[in-house]
Amino acid sequence: MAWKWDSPLYSLADEEQNELAKKVWEGESLGGIKEDNNRLPRPVVWLLGLTIISAFLMTFPLWGQRPTAAIYAEYVALMDTPEVKELVDTKGDEAAMQYIVTKVKASGSKWEALQDRHPLSMNDLRLIKDQVIELQNAGVDLAEYSILGDKVILANFEGNCKGATNAAGNCVEGVERERKQPWWDRGYTIDIFYVIYFCVAVIIAVKRLPNHKWQPDHTKHH
């Protein structure tokens, strides 16, 4: 089980280990399977890399995209205006809700993308209206409150520190964490660690086998 490090991309096993592997490779019947010692095709390697990168990029726009009370505060502010009340009385909730959405979008809301991603009806808005107003009166950050059904609750995850951090990146004593999902958190760090771990483990396993320039002779020992 000796290791050789002078040419790691050629082989991580010494010649004795490689010769032993060759004998096993050619000597075992493997249930009739005759496995050659070919390299993994380069397109497959590129496809693997593309899959990993695209998996991260595809989920990136979804990070921290839970509906929060903040994105509906502008809707709530318009609910009691004469225009909306008139539309509810004359044309119904759907027309009134469409008016609110159009009005907020025309004003250039910074929450427009999230509002489009998490649409709601007038009845949904009525259910959370009082809770949103209560939080506004309390002076809290509405972005830290999630909408769950008809409830507006403090988000259950903890993100970046609201103040100073120590050398390890943790909040110093007395500093709270934001209840907002950060653009990057430890989960993504762990993902990258395991992706690297997987790739390195596969490379080591492959390089412990005889180099791809050697091909087994399946006529031996059979």
Side-chain angles (χ1 to χ4, degrees), residues 31-214:
I33 298 175
K34 297 178 179 179
E35 197 67 42
D36 291 328
N37 188 27
N38 297 321
R39 301 179 68 180
L40 190 64
R42 287 188 179 180
V44 175
V45 176
W46 286 109
L47 181 61
L48 176 62
L50 183 64
T51 301
I52 293 171
I53 293 172
S54 60
F56 277 91
L57 293 180
M58 289 291 287
T59 57
F60 184 83
L62 302 178
W63 298 353
Q65 300 299 306
R66 294 181 184 178
T68 68
I71 70 176
Y72 301 125
E74 294 162 304
Y75 288 180
V76 171
L78 291 173
M79 289 180 70
D80 292 329
T81 60
E83 294 85 356
V84 173
K85 288 183 176 179
E86 182 180 354
L87 283 170
V88 171
D89 293 338
T90 58
K91 298 184 178 180
D93 287 348
E94 188 173 342
M97 194 67 223
Q98 184 59 46
Y99 171 82
I100 291 175
V101 171
T102 304
K103 184 82 173 179
V104 170
K105 186 173 294 188
S107 68
S109 173
K110 70 174 184 178
W111 304 109
E112 182 178 344
L114 288 173
Q115 290 163 349
D116 288 342
R117 192 167 294 128
H118 302 291
L120 76 178
S121 67
M122 182 61 79
N123 280 333
D124 295 329
L125 203 54
R126 290 190 181 105
L127 290 172
I128 65 172
K129 173 188 172 185
D130 292 339
Q131 298 172 77
V132 172
I133 292 175
E134 184 178 348
L135 291 172
Q136 285 178 312
N137 293 335
V140 301
D141 186 351
L142 295 181
E144 293 190 327
Y145 287 80
S146 298
I147 308 297
L148 292 179
D150 60 347
K151 305 293 183 185
V152 182
I153 62 172
L154 186 63
N156 63 353
F157 48 74
E158 296 182 345
N160 296 322
C161 296
K162 292 183 178 179
T165 59
N166 56 28
N170 298 317
C171 303
V172 299
E173 186 175 354
V175 173
E176 297 181 349
R177 288 185 177 274
E178 291 180 336
R179 293 302 185 118
K180 305 173 187 174
Q181 188 158 348
W183 73 274
W184 186 272
D185 66 15
R186 291 181 180 178
Y188 306 129
T189 303
I190 293 171
D191 285 346
I192 287 183
F193 169 78
Y194 277 107
V195 167
I196 294 174
Y197 173 81
F198 168 78
C199 293
V200 170
V202 170
I203 291 173
I204 290 175
V206 169
K207 293 305 174 184
R208 287 288 289 170
L209 297 172
N211 188 268
H212 65 87
K213 293 180 180 177
W214 172 83

Side-chain angles (χ1 to χ4, degrees), residues 19 22-30 34 214-222:
E19 289 302 319
K22 291 176 182 177
K23 290 180 181 177
V24 173
W25 202 319
E26 292 178 331
E28 294 289 338
S29 64
L30 302 175
K34 297 178 179 179
W214 172 83
Q215 289 295 331
D217 182 352
H218 296 295
T219 63
K220 293 183 179 180
H221 311 296
H222 295 290

